[in-house]
Amino acid sequence: MKTVKTLLLITSVVLVSPCIISQSTHPEPATLHIGSKAPDFMLRGVDGNTYSLNDFNNAKVLVIIFSCNHCPTAQAYEDRIITLANDYRPKGVEVIMISPNSVAALNYSELGYSDMGDSFEEMKVRAADKKFPFPYLYDGETQATALAYGPAATPHCFVFDKDRILRYTGRVDASEKPGTGHGEDIRNAVDAVLDGREVATPVTKVFGCSVKWSWKNEYTKKLYKEWSELPVTLEEIGATEIRALIKNNSDRVRLINIWATWCGPCLAEMPDLIIIDRMYRNRAFEFVTISADKQDRKEEVLRILKLNEASNKNYIFNKDDVYELIEAVDPEWQGALPYTMLIEPEGNILYKKQDTIDPHEMKKLIVGSRYLGRYY
């Protein structure tokens, strides 16, 4: 069984680009100045094609937006960017979105407002979910394009004229919350460039998540080490207390997983559940495990929990009567393991399933709850 620690190690080894440069050799990248020529690039898109600047030679205006999957601000602006692309394509304007983030510098605690991270495979999922009408390109391996353009945050917009001279750089608009803005700043800039006018305000500040530069991964390493050292505990729980957990008279969305040490699927899905806990534990969320093992298996239950660095709340049923446990959890549950429930405050059950979960489906349910949400 892969433990969380093993999964984190694999992620670090596989996804770190050989082109990563140490922090000591890399100053903070400067944002491209107004009047600069657009730097060329060669980036793969989620559609399977590779794109360069020349692929957009016919565009009267080229809009390049550095954005990503995970950032709450980026997600808040996605629909406006989609509308911008659809509205202006008939006028000869092309929109490109580039994800600059290195997965080596992005940790699970930064994914609390998202259902996914910034890997290339996850970009494919986001583009399909949102039906992006523009190329979504990946720069996370070398970050060479981001270094050339210098985005300060996600999203960060760059508007180029037909000669690919930078005419505007900055925000989409000044109203992050969905429904409160219409992309006024970038639309005004694009309109001005189409009309051959000077952009009234060519530079605006941007607000959002910082770019996850590959060499800035010390905090992620430190955080994962701290998580690995957190205490892992196991307490007994009775039927009455289990019913109270299900009623969830708390202010948190509660994910409850019933498992056992002898259940192969339970052990296989546990690393995914621990990752989910690490993503959302700093928000209105709580992860609880309940072991259906017999009392004489306590030591083995705790051993497996420690192996998975399960520093959440962990229980073992205080009787060997598994049928009493089943009735306490859910009278409709037939008893097969694993069994998982997602419950909002006041007992509103968002999800219950006898079998392993789909991790992405679960993350979408959690972040989609009105008690969490994707935006600030």
Side-chain angles (χ1 to χ4, degrees), residues 7-18 20 44 68-70 99-111 116-123 136 138-143 210-221 224:
L7 287 174
L8 296 178
L9 179 60
I10 289 172
T11 302
S12 299
V13 172
V14 174
L15 295 176
V16 175
S17 165
I20 287 176
R44 56 177 172 157
C68 66
N69 284 347
H70 88 275
S99 178
N101 287 344
S102 166
V103 294
L106 181 65
N107 63 68
Y108 294 132
S109 71
E110 295 176 284
L111 306 184
M116 63 182 73
D118 292 341
S119 71
F120 184 64
E121 292 304 315
E122 289 168 308
M123 287 170 58
Y136 191 20
Y138 183 54
D139 186 40
E141 290 177 342
T142 68
Q143 299 186 291
S210 61
V211 174
K212 306 309 171 189
W213 300 109
S214 60
W215 62 91
K216 291 187 175 182
N217 63 351
E218 289 306 313
Y219 175 71
T220 292
K221 292 178 181 178
Y224 286 177

Side-chain angles (χ1 to χ4, degrees), residues 44-114:
R44 56 177 172 157
V46 297
D47 59 2
N49 296 319
T50 299
Y51 292 86
S52 72
L53 202 59
N54 289 336
D55 290 308
F56 305 95
N57 281 343
N58 294 330
K60 295 178 182 178
V61 176
L62 181 63
V63 178
I64 298 178
I65 302 176
F66 287 86
S67 192
C68 66
N69 284 347
H70 88 275
C71 173
T73 308
Q75 293 179 78
Y77 280 109
E78 279 178 340
D79 289 341
R80 274 168 277 188
I81 294 170
I82 290 169
T83 302
L84 173 82
N86 288 330
D87 288 351
Y88 280 88
R89 179 171 290 112
K91 300 179 182 181
V93 177
E94 288 287 348
V95 174
I96 309 167
M97 184 180 285
I98 299 175
S99 178
N101 287 344
S102 166
V103 294
L106 181 65
N107 63 68
Y108 294 132
S109 71
E110 295 176 284
L111 306 184
Y113 287 81
S114 180

Side-chain angles (χ1 to χ4, degrees), residues 189-258:
V190 171
D191 288 338
V193 176
L194 283 173
D195 294 342
R197 297 181 283 107
E198 291 294 321
V199 178
T201 306
V203 178
T204 59
K205 292 183 177 181
V206 293
F207 175 79
C209 299
S210 61
V211 174
K212 306 309 171 189
W213 300 109
S214 60
W215 62 91
K216 291 187 175 182
N217 63 351
E218 289 306 313
Y219 175 71
T220 292
K221 292 178 181 178
K222 178 177 178 288
L223 178 63
Y224 286 177
K225 184 176 185 297
E226 289 175 354
W227 277 341
S228 72
E229 295 172 349
L230 289 174
V232 177
T233 60
L234 179 64
E235 300 176 30
E236 292 191 5
I237 191 170
T240 300
E241 292 80 10
I242 288 175
R243 291 188 180 94
L245 279 178
I246 304 299
K247 288 181 180 178
N248 193 14
N249 291 322
S250 75
D251 59 353
R252 294 176 175 269
V253 174
R254 182 172 286 158
L255 177 63
I256 301 176
N257 177 250
I258 320 297

